[in-house]
Amino acid sequence: MTLEHLLILLPAFFLIAGLYTSVGHAGASGYLAVMALLAIAPETMRPTALALNILVAAFTFYRFAGAGYFSWRALWPFLLGSVPLAALGGSLRLTTGTYYVLAGAALALSFGVLAWRAYERPPTENAADKARIPILPAIGCGAAIGLLSGLTGTGGGIFLSPIVLLAGWAGPRHTGGITAPFILANSAMALIAGTATWASLPKELPWLALAVLAGAATGTWLGLRRLSTRWLLAAMSLVLAIASAKLILTA
């Protein structure tokens, strides 16, 4: 990773972390998008995204739980299905072309989700509301998302939140309270399972970590106070669409 890369990544990762944490996500798909645009090697992209995801998801979980938007009853079915499959996905070694296709598909879905989040009309919600998570469907969804998150180097939150919201199982902020610890667990398992990839973590990781933590502090503050991020999410969805096309065409 060159100095030029770092000078681009620091503000970009700050912005991405701010955007994603405002809705309870950790930003892996956004980090992947920017690294793809800079042509950073895939063997560096995945572990870097996972490491930053762990840090940001832990902070986001702390903020959303502190605001009363966390329920263990709503979380554990998803984790039961996802954690073993995230470990499996993280241990698999993919060819460069296969990785680009999977990551590109993940980013394309992320683009769709963020575009939808940008233009949806959020319902009224408060911390006293309860998430209504059916156990068996949640376990099945968690398993599928866990495998995909381990393979692509994302925490899976970008796939989980639209399912929860579209199914009407929880409101946006309660969904964030489920999504952040879900991302944390899956990212940790995927990184642990892929121990051989740790050597590919860039030496600039501490600087990137500071950037995403600053972004997370800003994003969670905005998100928990109901400040609209509609226009920012729309802009980020465009970035993801471009990066997704670049990855798929490169493969």
Side-chain angles (χ1 to χ4, degrees), residues 46 82-94 146-153 189-190 193-194:
R46 184 164 77 165
S82 72
V83 169
L85 274 297
L88 174 63
S91 68
L92 297 176
R93 296 292 173 268
L94 304 176
L147 180 61
L148 185 58
S149 70
L151 284 169
T152 59
M189 287 304 300

Side-chain angles (χ1 to χ4, degrees), residues 115-162:
W116 167 64
R117 290 296 295 269
Y119 294 106
E120 71 168 338
R121 196 170 182 178
T124 302
E125 181 185 18
N126 58 64
D129 296 334
K130 300 294 182 182
R132 301 171 299 279
I133 308 297
I135 293 176
L136 290 180
I139 293 173
C141 290
I145 294 169
L147 180 61
L148 185 58
S149 70
L151 284 169
T152 59
T154 66
I158 202 71
F159 311 117
L160 176 63
S161 62

Side-chain angles (χ1 to χ4, degrees), residues 11-50:
F13 280 12
F14 170 83
L15 176 60
I16 291 165
L19 290 172
Y20 277 70
T21 56
S22 69
V23 292
H25 291 189
S29 55
Y31 310 142
L32 287 170
V34 176
M35 287 188 284
L37 290 172
L38 294 177
I40 292 174
E43 59 269 21
T44 297
M45 286 170 59
R46 184 164 77 165
T48 300
L50 285 172

Side-chain angles (χ1 to χ4, degrees), residues 162-233:
I163 292 174
V164 173
L165 288 166
L166 288 172
W169 293 342
R173 283 173 177 75
H174 283 88
T175 298
I178 298 168
T179 301
F182 180 85
I183 292 170
L184 175 60
N186 283 321
S187 298
M189 287 304 300
L191 189 61
I192 290 169
T195 51
T197 66
W198 289 9
S200 298
L201 286 170
K203 64 180 183 301
E204 298 85 358
L205 186 64
W207 293 105
L208 300 176
L210 287 175
V212 297
L213 272 180
T218 304
T220 53
W221 177 80
L222 291 172
L224 289 171
R225 282 158 178 75
R226 301 180 182 271
L227 181 65
S228 173
T229 57
R230 183 168 296 175
W231 69 274
L232 293 174
L233 289 173

